[in-house]
Amino acid sequence: MGETKLTKGSYGYIDNWKRTRLITLVLWVIFIGALLLIPMMVLGTKYNAFTVAAIVMVLPAARQAVQYIAMAGFRSGSREEYEKIASYVEGKSWMVLAADMVLASESGHMVLNMIVICNGNIYGYAPKQKKSREAIEAYLTNLLMETDVTHKKPVVHESFDEFEEMIMMLSANEPSAPMEAGSIFAGLKANCI
C-alpha cells in the first residue's frame, strides 16, 4: 500500500488530503451528533452544557468542511505521467520534481499536476485548468520575484508531450552553474493548500 503521510509536492497528495479530510469530517459529524443526542436521551432535555459544547464544536467542523469543498474538484494527476518525468529527474541534483501542487491566489486555485524546478526556473504541467496558461505563468512569475534567485520566466504546458520533451531536454544538459531549487520549492509549498 502507498505512503499515507501527507507531504506537499509528493505524488498523490491531493487524493490523500481529500481522503483524510473526508474521514475527519465524518468523525466530526459522529462526535457532534453523539454530544447532542446521548446527553439529550440520558438527561431528557436538550437544555444542557453538552448542547452548548456541541454547538461550539460545529465551528472547527465547518472549517474542515469548507477546506474539503474547496478541494473537491481537484484530483491527483496520472501515475504513468508522473513516473515518466520522475525517471528523467532521478539522480539529477540540479532538478526538483513536485507533483499535485494546488496553488491558492486571490482569484482562485490552480492545480499543477507536476512542476520541475531547474536552474532557477519553474516548468509546469497544468492540463484542464479554469485559469489560462498565461495567468498561471504570471502567478508563478510573482512567486519567483519573491525568492533570492535571478528572475526568470516560468513555462507552463497544457500538453504532456510538450512538457515531457522539455524535461527530457533539461535533464540531458546539466547547467554549468546550477542554481538552488530548494528555495523556490519552499516558496511554492508555502503557497499551496
Side-chain angles (χ1 to χ4, degrees):
M1 187 166 261
E3 186 179 306
T4 58
K5 185 178 178 187
L6 294 175
T7 306
K8 288 181 183 178
S10 63
Y11 178 79
Y13 173 77
I14 295 173
D15 292 340
N16 287 338
W17 188 92
K18 286 179 13 180
R19 187 175 19 257
T20 302
R21 283 294 187 265
L22 186 59
I23 291 169
T24 304
L25 276 173
V26 169
L27 292 175
W28 272 113
V29 168
I30 291 169
F31 177 71
I32 292 170
L35 202 56
L36 277 172
L37 297 176
I38 293 173
M40 201 180 322
M41 290 177 4
V42 170
L43 300 173
T45 180
K46 61 182 173 185
Y47 302 107
N48 58 56
F50 294 105
T51 303
V52 174
I55 291 169
V56 171
M57 294 295 178
V58 169
L59 293 173
R63 180 175 179 260
Q64 297 280 325
V66 167
Q67 289 176 345
Y68 181 79
I69 291 167
M71 291 282 283
F74 305 127
R75 291 186 172 51
S76 294
S78 162
R79 170 67 102 182
E80 287 177 18
E81 292 175 347
Y82 175 77
E83 288 175 355
K84 278 184 183 178
I85 300 302
S87 70
Y88 297 128
V89 174
E90 187 177 2
K92 311 287 193 284
S93 61
W94 67 92
M95 299 176 85
V96 172
L97 172 64
D100 291 353
M101 302 292 284
V102 180
L103 301 171
S105 72
E106 300 86 27
S107 61
H109 299 354
M110 54 198 93
V111 177
L112 285 105
N113 287 10
M114 285 177 273
I115 291 176
V116 173
I117 303 168
C118 179
N119 202 28
N121 204 5
I122 299 172
Y123 302 92
Y125 171 54
K128 303 175 196 163
Q129 291 291 309
K130 291 180 183 176
K131 301 233 181 269
S132 70
R133 187 179 65 114
E134 292 79 19
I136 297 170
E137 287 175 349
Y139 180 79
L140 292 174
T141 301
N142 289 337
L143 286 177
L144 279 176
M145 282 194 235
E146 295 172 7
T147 64
D148 296 335
V149 179
T150 306
H151 175 67
K152 300 212 177 184
K153 179 152 177 29
V155 179
V156 176
H157 297 278
E158 295 171 341
S159 161
F160 179 74
D161 293 333
E162 291 173 6
F163 179 66
E164 181 182 19
E165 186 177 316
M166 173 72 78
I167 302 308
M168 194 180 337
M169 181 191 69
L170 290 169
S171 67
N173 301 313
E174 180 175 358
S176 57
M179 300 178 88
E180 178 60 39
S183 61
I184 296 173
F185 183 51
L188 284 171
K189 284 174 65 173
N191 287 292
C192 282
I193 291 180

